[in-house]
Amino acid sequence: LLPSSQIYPIHLPRETRTRRALLICNIEFEYLSRRNGAEVDVEGMTMLLEGLGYTVDIHCNLTSQEMATVMNDFAHRKEHYTSDSTFLVFMSHGVRAGLCGTKSRSETTDILSLDTIYEKFNNKCCQALLGKPKAVIIQSCRGGKRGSVMVSDSTDPAAATPSSSHTIPAGLENDAICEVHLESDFATLHSSTPDTVSWRSSVIGSLFIKHLIEQFRNHACNSDLQEIFRKVQYSFGKFPQQLPSQERTTMLRKFYLFPGH
């Protein structure tokens, strides 16, 4: 068994906990195609998050500036003080640099940089969630490439060069009374790897969201968040066109949604 210091604490009883989640989904765009099937994703994710004990704030069809404003408002909600965690879910068209707002017409117009998410919820800007898990789930394309590649079974003659070991310089000291990391306790699961597309059906919604909901339903009772994320990735093993990616993860402990089970 893991020592409790390695697990995120959930102090409050369920009755007094005020878990909140943010869900932003862009479906209709002025210049880009409609994301048919995204309504299924919104409905499925909302039911999942409510089942996990979160009140879900849902916002649809926002520009990048409106998304930033909504995130800012959500980051300042007082309920986070009496919560133990949050989920931040984003679904839209996307490019390598970020998520498309409703007025996007190219790689550079009306794009929400993913950095903005982490800036709005870092320990400086959102102290109510300091030391609490922040799960970020992003459903979007990240470019136009297909994720699969034809692989040959030949051995690669180019041997990998060993990386030089990183050593911490001796004699480092710090006299700060109380310093915290600027950014910590994030776990991010993106629907695909950089530069590749994510797949969506107009009938059943996005493959990523479908798989994610299934894995949470089956394993949230006994697996920690990052293990559930890994199970989502594993579930794409027979679908080489797309592979979800864990990124910018700064979790210091394991997060169990239902500890003690």
Side-chain angles (χ1 to χ4, degrees):
L1 231 72
L2 273 174
S4 59
S5 61
Q6 298 283 305
I7 297 172
Y8 282 100
I10 293 182
H11 295 304
L12 299 161
R14 193 169 301 189
E15 304 75 54
T16 52
R17 246 188 349 236
T18 53
R19 282 181 173 172
R20 286 201 93 95
L22 175 65
L23 193 160
I24 293 176
C25 182
N26 287 342
I27 303 173
E28 309 270 359
F29 298 81
E30 287 190 29
Y31 308 104
L32 305 175
S33 61
R34 187 179 193 279
R35 295 183 60 248
N36 294 318
E39 306 90 341
V40 181
D41 296 339
V42 173
E43 188 180 342
M45 279 305 298
T46 302
M47 285 179 63
L48 175 70
L49 291 167
E50 287 176 351
L52 296 174
Y54 294 85
T55 301
V56 188
D57 292 11
I58 303 170
H59 300 268
C60 293
N61 303 328
L62 305 178
T63 64
S64 57
Q65 184 55 56
E66 288 166 341
M67 286 192 268
T69 302
V70 160
M71 278 195 281
N72 198 52
D73 293 345
F74 183 77
H76 289 95
R77 292 198 76 116
K78 62 184 187 305
E79 289 94 337
H80 295 313
Y81 284 104
T82 43
S83 175
D84 49 46
S85 55
T86 190
F87 273 76
L88 308 166
V89 183
F90 303 88
M91 310 182 201
S92 186
H93 284 305
V95 295
R96 183 71 160 85
L99 294 158
C100 296
T102 50
K103 294 184 186 300
S104 178
R105 55 167 71 191
S106 72
E107 296 243 342
T108 54
T109 55
D110 197 21
I111 302 295
L112 177 80
S113 165
L114 298 183
D115 287 343
T116 308
I117 300 169
Y118 301 94
E119 286 161 9
K120 297 287 185 191
F121 293 95
N122 70 20
N123 294 328
K124 181 182 178 186
C125 295
C126 184
Q127 294 187 2
L129 288 170
L130 173 67
K132 300 172 183 179
K134 295 166 274 280
V136 181
I137 292 169
I138 302 169
Q139 161 62 43
S140 75
C141 288
R142 311 177 74 179
K145 295 181 183 174
R146 294 182 69 114
S148 55
V149 60
M150 297 302 284
V151 182
S152 88
D153 282 335
S154 68
T155 54
D156 184 0
T161 54
S163 62
S164 58
S165 61
H166 296 282
T167 54
I168 297 171
L172 279 185
E173 290 182 7
N174 194 324
D175 289 329
I177 298 163
C178 176
E179 232 176 348
V180 297
H181 297 105
L182 174 62
E183 180 178 313
S184 65
D185 312 294
F186 284 96
T188 307
L189 189 62
H190 211 301
S191 58
S192 61
T193 50
D195 298 315
T196 62
V197 295
S198 296
W199 297 88
R200 171 174 36 82
S201 153
S202 58
V203 179
I204 62 166
S206 305
L207 287 182
F208 169 65
I209 297 296
K210 180 176 177 291
H211 283 242
L212 183 126
I213 290 170
E214 281 173 11
Q215 296 303 321
F216 267 90
R217 289 242 159 91
N218 293 334
H219 301 289
C221 58
N222 56 19
S223 297
D224 70 273
L225 182 72
Q226 284 172 272
E227 175 61 13
I228 298 171
F229 281 0
R230 189 195 62 75
K231 289 178 189 293
V232 176
Q233 292 175 291
Y234 184 79
S235 72
F236 275 80
K238 292 183 170 61
F239 187 75
Q241 292 88 347
Q242 180 180 340
L243 180 64
S245 172
Q246 291 195 54
E247 295 175 17
R248 202 154 172 171
T249 294
T250 50
M251 297 288 271
L252 301 174
R253 310 176 186 196
K254 289 182 182 283
F255 175 38
Y256 290 93
L257 285 143
F258 302 104
H261 278 259

